[in-house]
Amino acid sequence: MPKKAKPTENGKEEGSVPCKQVKIEAAGKPSSTLNFESPSDLFGSLISPIKTETFFREFWEKKPLLIQRDDPAVATYYRSLFRLSDLKSLCSRGMYYGRDINVCRCVNGKKKVLNKDGKVHFLQLRKDFDQKRATIQFHQPQRFKDELWRIQEKLECYFGSLVGSNVYITPAGSQGLPPHYDDVEVFILQLEGEKHWRLYRPTVPLAREYSAEAEDRIGRPAHEFTLKPGDLLYFPRGTIHQADTPPGLAHSTHVTISTYQNNSWGDFLLDTVSGLVFDTAKEDVAFRAGIPRQLLLQVEATAVAARRLSGFLRTLADRLEGTRELLSADMKKDFVTNRLPPYHMGDGSELSTPGGQLPRLDSTVRLQFKDHMVLTVGLDQERSDETQEKMIYIYHSLKNRRETHMMGNEDTESHGLRFPLSYMDALKQIWGHLPISVKDLNLPTDEEKENLVLSLWTECLIQVV
């Protein structure tokens, strides 16, 4: 239960905007857990009974939300997502310290890392957990736990942003991490045992980086409560927090599901402005004029340079008002290249091998896996001369590897297709909600129409209906 903030002399509560608390008791019939019919259904069921519109209006990026559930069905489902007992079988699959598992403990307000070298052996891990009262942090469990993959894949579709997770297992009477804030939006699901949480006013609202905070700098908690299995806690990036497992009870297990890292308007501006400058410079000679001699040698920007840059920015703003085509340099591609593949049972052959009829001119086709692809316009990456032209790029995640999700792999391969810019209208027709006849595609020749749909079909992006 959140404690009330202490009233000040003027009668107002001291602290941040209050943490909304919702307590739900089980109804007479078993409650449903999560609804996977669509990404929006999944998110709605995750934060139920709070309405999605209410959540984004009142809580998202603004203040914490605590949902306490007294529902055995939800608690049982949450426990199935990850248990302490899962570690034995996971360690047998070849887990490594640092990459897959961290062992740590908060000692005198500092994080003490207790990792060994190399491969994790379950008996040693359990010994550190029991004897050193260390917290076990398991990185990105969706790589191995199917239900977390299923949840996070849907959430990536819903947010249009990468969604990672970490599991924290902490013994009774212990704390794993010191007070800190993160650069991600956080959804915490309590899986096993109980966890005592303290949240503090942000020093950096909507922070862009992780930072530990000294206890003597953060003041009194703005919110304090205990999570039990089936409970959910949300708080925005920048929220200072710490959590411990109460003494005398069983261990605590919770999963932190996080999103919206580097997904701000500032990031989007950095991503798109380079393409906007490139396009403008091709048409406006002022953007191609040289900068003053020795400008780069100056300690401070000159007044003349500042005025010129301000003028250029106004020109870009005017141009931006009149365009609907923004060149995304990296964000779209990075998202689709690094996200989870669609959740599937079995070997996933339907994601890599085209099925059904081969599309022909008299076929009717429909897009599939629309939530797993992006269409963007960019410069021809196969040419580097001055005749570089814009191309349409379609990137998809159907062939992404679940095993490397959110692991920072530098050699992640992107999958997709490229088309001339003249194909845009035909692709927008296919991107519509209704099936479309191939012969009705807005392209000049039947050969181009057939080649387009055959390329998309080969990548499993469309099906014949």
Side-chain angles (χ1 to χ4, degrees), residues 94-114:
M95 302 295 115
Y96 286 83
Y97 286 104
R99 185 192 72 180
D100 303 298
I101 289 176
N102 274 339
V103 180
C104 59
R105 188 175 176 199
C106 180
V107 179
N108 298 324
K110 303 287 186 181
K111 178 182 176 181
K112 182 176 182 181
V113 179
L114 303 172

Side-chain angles (χ1 to χ4, degrees), residues 355-360 362-368 433-438 453 457 461-465:
Q357 292 178 287
L358 191 74
R360 303 188 183 279
D362 59 353
S363 300
T364 299
V365 298
R366 180 175 59 196
L367 204 64
Q368 59 179 357
H433 296 292
L434 299 176
I436 185 168
S437 173
V438 176
V453 295
W457 179 81
L461 301 181
I462 62 171
Q463 59 182 170
V464 177
V465 295

Side-chain angles (χ1 to χ4, degrees), residues 208 237 262-273 331:
R208 290 182 53 82
R237 54 197 188 276
N262 300 328
N263 211 48
S264 68
W265 278 112
D267 296 302
F268 189 65
L269 183 63
L270 287 171
D271 186 53
T272 55
V273 75
M331 286 180 73

Side-chain angles (χ1 to χ4, degrees), residues 411-441:
D411 57 348
T412 304
E413 181 183 1
S414 60
H415 305 284
L417 300 165
R418 60 195 285 272
F419 297 102
L421 195 60
S422 59
Y423 280 49
M424 179 62 81
D425 286 343
L427 285 166
K428 286 181 177 178
Q429 287 177 283
I430 296 173
W431 245 251
H433 296 292
L434 299 176
I436 185 168
S437 173
V438 176
K439 65 177 179 290
D440 291 335
L441 291 174

Side-chain angles (χ1 to χ4, degrees), residues 90 93-96 99-101 138-146 148-150 152-153 156 163 165 337-344 346-348 351 397-413 415:
L90 286 168
R93 299 171 65 170
M95 302 295 115
Y96 286 83
R99 185 192 72 180
D100 303 298
I101 289 176
F138 194 98
H139 298 150
Q140 309 304 335
Q142 71 278 7
R143 296 176 294 149
F144 309 102
K145 302 293 287 183
D146 288 351
L148 285 173
W149 170 22
R150 190 182 180 201
Q152 289 174 235
E153 179 257 321
E156 286 186 332
V163 176
S165 68
T337 300
N338 292 289
R339 64 170 301 188
L340 284 164
Y343 175 79
H344 59 265
D347 61 4
L351 304 179
S397 60
L398 272 60
K399 300 175 184 177
N400 288 6
R401 296 179 59 226
R402 169 193 178 191
E403 296 80 12
T404 61
H405 184 243
M406 299 297 290
M407 295 302 290
N409 297 64
E410 295 294 333
D411 57 348
T412 304
E413 181 183 1
H415 305 284

